[in-house]
Amino acid sequence: GSNTTLLLIGNVEEGKLTELENESRVTGLGRDLDLNKAFLDVAMDDTYQALSEYVEIIDSHGIPRSSVIMTATEASRVATNSKSFYEKVKSELKLEVTLISSEGEAFYTAYGVIAGSDSNADYLTIMDIGGASTEFIKVRSEPFSIVDSISLPFGSVRATDWIREGSFEKRMDQIISESRLDEFKTQHLFCVAGSMTSLG
């Protein structure tokens, strides 16, 4: 992600996931992305270090690195040097990244919430605050379908950068005024990802 680098190793039996490992490192890969349009060297170093630790854990479980599903999100979609960084990760750590779209982020997030929720609401909205983007996803629970989704270019890392430079309110006002958030109002709001779970 744009702020955290995560590892989940699980065993699935009869449709149920048993977690074997669940790790999180705050690596801030998307730090100063709006300013530089590229990953900072220190952010790549921190992320590479986290991935190096993760491959040791993966290896300890006897999992082939070729079977690891590694995804990247918003920061990696816009950073001009993301391709060269992931080529290094592939060459040296034998991990291949899949860059998922904002629509892909919305789908997997929504599917995970519905699968793990006991809500009986017909419609609900999911808010996913990442490091560089925030997704709002309107979902129909039964049968599962995504009614609509929107990805807005703000997240915890970008917000921290904007606060530091004194432009947070101006940027947020502009983003919100240009969005169509009214279309995502439902009785139930589910918040996911590190920022909201930390606040929770």
Side-chain angles (χ1 to χ4, degrees):
S2 308
N3 192 39
T4 54
T5 301
L6 309 170
L7 171 70
L8 175 65
I9 298 176
N11 186 33
V12 179
E13 289 183 10
E14 297 179 4
K16 293 219 169 193
L17 173 73
T18 302
E19 288 186 9
L20 303 176
E21 302 280 355
N22 193 336
E23 298 286 333
S24 176
R25 307 279 190 277
V26 176
T27 60
L29 188 58
R31 277 176 271 177
D32 291 326
L33 186 59
D34 290 327
L35 181 65
N36 299 301
K37 310 302 182 197
F39 295 145
L40 298 176
D41 288 342
V42 66
M44 289 188 289
D45 290 345
D46 289 348
T47 302
Y48 188 90
Q49 178 59 39
L51 293 173
S52 298
E53 294 170 18
Y54 289 171
V55 293
E56 290 183 15
I57 298 171
I58 290 164
D59 291 347
S60 75
H61 284 272
I63 299 168
R65 295 186 193 179
S66 60
S67 70
V68 172
I69 300 169
M70 180 175 159
T71 60
T73 56
E74 169 68 9
S76 298
R77 290 194 291 266
V78 298
T80 56
N81 57 349
S82 65
K83 184 177 179 184
S84 60
F85 175 62
Y86 290 120
E87 284 173 352
K88 175 184 175 180
V89 169
K90 181 179 179 182
S91 170
E92 297 179 9
L93 298 180
K94 310 306 181 203
L95 294 175
E96 189 162 0
V97 70
T98 298
L99 187 62
I100 59 175
S101 66
S102 58
E103 293 81 11
E105 281 190 72
F107 175 82
Y108 292 118
T109 298
Y111 191 77
V113 167
I114 293 297
S117 167
D118 57 5
S119 172
N120 57 6
D122 291 334
Y123 293 91
L124 53 90
T125 296
I126 300 162
M127 180 171 68
D128 178 356
I129 300 180
S133 66
T134 294
E135 281 71 45
F136 287 88
I137 311 153
K138 189 172 183 180
V139 176
R140 182 179 181 188
S141 55
E142 189 61 43
F144 171 75
S145 64
I146 294 178
V147 178
D148 198 1
S149 68
I150 187 171
S151 183
L152 304 180
F154 72 86
S156 58
V157 176
R158 277 183 165 154
T160 301
D161 292 341
W162 296 343
I163 290 168
R164 191 173 59 239
E165 68 186 37
S167 65
F168 177 78
E169 290 186 10
K170 179 181 177 183
R171 286 178 180 262
M172 288 300 295
D173 286 346
Q174 180 179 356
I175 290 168
I176 291 171
S177 69
E178 293 173 355
S179 70
R180 47 189 182 84
L181 287 178
D182 283 350
E183 298 174 26
F184 293 85
K185 287 183 179 176
T186 59
Q187 285 188 309
H188 301 273
L189 176 67
F190 284 71
C191 299
V192 299
S195 298
M196 294 307 295
T197 53
S198 295
L199 288 171

